[in-house]
Amino acid sequence: AQKVTQAQTEISVVEKEDVTLDCVYETRDTTYYLFWYKQPPSGELVFLIRRNSFDEQNEISGRYSWNFQKSTSSFNFTITASQVVDSAVYFCALSEKTTSGTYKYIFGTGTRLKVLA
Amino acid sequence: DSGVTQTPKHLITATGQRVTLRCSPRSGDLSVYWYQQSLDQGLQFLIQYYNGEERAKGNILERFSAQQFPDLHSELNLSSLELGDSALYFCASSVDGKGTYEQYFGPGTRLTVT
């Protein structure tokens, strides 16, 4: 079973629309970390947010907001008033403890967002 | 600019050859991670080094190896290359060795095996 599921392969929206990218994760640990990364057409992955499992507060950063719900194992990402520059592939990632005590990073398969002018 | 540098940016080589990819982490970061990104397999974690020592291993083939040097730069060696090794190889660095903090990615090396 996939540990991080991004069921939306590709989403297209028109500029100024709001869009939510879904991320569902699976872990047995009580301590884990969740991340979102953006990969624009230029190719470089850019860190967006980190959240630990004990902090369920939603976060807002400009037009970006994140909704973390442990009850549904989801960490969704919303872009408000989308812009063409938001067009990118967005990856959700989970860091959970392995048997050796280190944490292992697992990326979802990504959601390609296309914002049309 | 993440502060992570990777060279070369592009590499074209033939099957059976060996190549070395180089990565310099952000200043102050002790951890280096290597990833392979291909169209059919997404972003795959290969290996992590922390302060010169191997810390975690992912889906890294036996034909691939890596090391981290005392100045903290890292090299990923790919040998006996196959067509299927064509991919984008990313290096990322992080402040901690545990894997609980965000990673900062380099621009990647695009490897084409012909």
Side-chain angles (χ1 to χ4, degrees), chain A residues 87-103:
Chain A
S87 297
V89 180
Y90 291 87
F91 291 93
C92 178
L94 163 72
S95 180
E96 63 170 1
K97 210 169 190 177
T98 66
T99 51
S100 65
T102 58
Y103 279 75

Side-chain angles (χ1 to χ4, degrees), chain B residues 4-36:
Chain B
V4 178
T5 59
Q6 285 187 252
T7 54
K9 204 163 183 179
H10 301 277
L11 202 47
I12 300 174
T13 189
T15 53
Q17 295 298 305
R18 172 190 169 95
V19 296
T20 297
L21 313 184
R22 184 189 166 105
C23 167
S24 292
R26 284 189 326 157
S27 176
D29 285 356
L30 299 179
S31 244
V32 168
Y33 300 79
W34 285 98
Y35 292 88
Q36 179 193 59

Side-chain angles (χ1 to χ4, degrees), chain B:
Chain B
D1 186 350
S2 66
V4 178
T5 59
Q6 285 187 252
T7 54
K9 204 163 183 179
H10 301 277
L11 202 47
I12 300 174
T13 189
T15 53
Q17 295 298 305
R18 172 190 169 95
V19 296
T20 297
L21 313 184
R22 184 189 166 105
C23 167
S24 292
R26 284 189 326 157
S27 176
D29 285 356
L30 299 179
S31 244
V32 168
Y33 300 79
W34 285 98
Y35 292 88
Q36 179 193 59
Q37 186 178 37
S38 57
L39 283 172
D40 56 344
Q41 294 220 341
L43 203 60
Q44 298 283 316
F45 165 66
L46 296 177
I47 197 164
Q48 178 205 357
Y49 278 84
Y50 178 73
N51 205 19
E53 293 190 2
E54 183 184 304
R55 181 61 69 97
K57 233 172 181 174
N59 304 322
I60 188 165
L61 299 172
E62 281 190 18
R63 301 184 284 109
F64 297 179
S65 65
Q67 53 184 324
Q68 187 178 29
F69 294 87
D71 67 351
L72 300 177
H73 92 270
S74 178
E75 293 181 357
L76 178 67
N77 300 296
L78 314 176
S79 60
S80 302
L81 284 168
E82 302 174 0
L83 295 176
D85 297 328
S86 295
L88 195 50
Y89 290 84
F90 284 107
C91 163
S93 76
S94 179
V95 65
D96 82 325
K98 280 191 187 176
T100 61
Y101 280 84
E102 59 272 19
Q103 297 179 17
Y104 291 88
F105 283 75
T109 293
R110 183 167 294 282
L111 174 66
T112 302
V113 182
T114 60

Side-chain angles (χ1 to χ4, degrees), chain A residues 59-109:
Chain A
E59 174 135 351
I60 297 175
S61 176
R63 296 184 296 106
Y64 294 172
S65 63
W66 289 268
N67 181 269
F68 177 27
Q69 291 199 337
K70 284 174 80 168
S71 58
T72 55
S73 296
S74 64
F75 186 41
N76 296 337
F77 172 31
T78 297
I79 302 175
T80 304
S82 60
Q83 298 176 2
V84 173
V85 292
D86 296 327
S87 297
V89 180
Y90 291 87
F91 291 93
C92 178
L94 163 72
S95 180
E96 63 170 1
K97 210 169 190 177
T98 66
T99 51
S100 65
T102 58
Y103 279 75
K104 185 178 172 184
Y105 239 78
I106 304 160
F107 280 85
T109 50

